[in-house]
Amino acid sequence: MARSAPPLSLYVHIPWCVRKCPYCDFNSHQKPVGTELPEDRYIEALIGDLDHDLSGQGDRELVSIFIGGGTPSLFSPHSLAKLLAAIRSRMPCVPDLEVTLEANPGTIEHGKFAAYREAGINRVSLGVQSFDAVQLKLLGRIHSPDDVVRAVAELKAAKLCNFNLDLMYALPAQGTDQALTDLNTALSLGPRHLSLYQLTLEPGTVFHHRPPEALPDPEAAWEIQAACQSLLQERGFSQYEVSAYAKAGQQCRHNVNYWKFGDYLGIGAGAHGKLTDSAGRVRRTVRHKQPRQYLEGSDAAARLQETRDVDPRDLPFEYMLNALRLREGFMIREFEASTGLSGVAIAATLALGRERGLLDGRDSDCWIPSELGWRFLNDLQALFLP
């Protein structure tokens, strides 16, 4: 079946941070003490990546930009202004382009957010994780609760009122009351969007090898999650994705594009990309993750670690890894437009999911995870493995 051209986003990865957190499995690298970051060189490499990847994309409009890390707020507003100007000069953008910057509350100087806004940033995601000083120390964070309050004040002074707060739950020795105290403090700061994640021990992290003591058991973690979700609903935040909650109309467009199986360019060390060509083939790219190896690449092609076409047999699973994270689920016609496959290809699996109580089907076209499916989402997604 013919595929429509998916929306196009851009992900920019800046890999350095002040200190690597023990729970973090992202591609982040601690900034060497006493050294300056190679900002100019890195920005030029990012622009080179963009030029390389734009080949064959035609005049597709960019719907969002997300600058993640690492700690992108370690880069100066001047450097990000140069990058954003280069992006806008090379490709058309929708008039209300969403441009998100991830920031660490401990790296924000007075007036810096105003300069980021002048550079073109219009949405910020603050990595808060907790408002408990003891928990922040256990998590290896470099900021204090007061730093978060100051950072939000700086955001509002800069008229950057569209901001997200990242918050963790099921922290060491944390009970429901403590988690709700964290959440209430976060909500008192007036975010339009909130990301709520359970602390997990990801392979390759310090916490995976040396887990913290007194982590809540699965049932206790589930009770904390349910209590937090109830409070968020009372405060007017709708859950639209597994870990994402937003006021009406304030969903993160960039992440929604991921979950709807849209296309995205990925530039920078370790960045992943997904592009659909004119023949409907889905191609994924990965760039070298080590900053030194990435910067030593002679050109954008040398900075690519992997380029591969997705086997059509894998498309149902790849689609469901994303679409089933959304509360609204997906429509069969959306699946067909995104993958080029007929809905018949997944009919038996959908029926199996419903039989096991993991999926709810509405008028045979709209499919959403049931409450049981939400709780055991990995098992539901695994049904679609080829």
Side-chain angles (χ1 to χ4, degrees), residues 72-91:
S73 53
L74 290 176
F75 268 35
S76 69
H78 171 77
S79 291
L80 296 187
K82 179 179 179 181
L83 173 64
L84 292 173
I87 293 168
R88 288 183 176 276
S89 71
R90 283 163 169 77
M91 58 191 309

Side-chain angles (χ1 to χ4, degrees), residues 47-55 287 300-301 304:
I47 295 171
D49 288 350
L50 182 64
D51 286 336
H52 178 272
D53 286 1
L54 281 178
S55 175
R287 289 192 151 81
L304 276 170

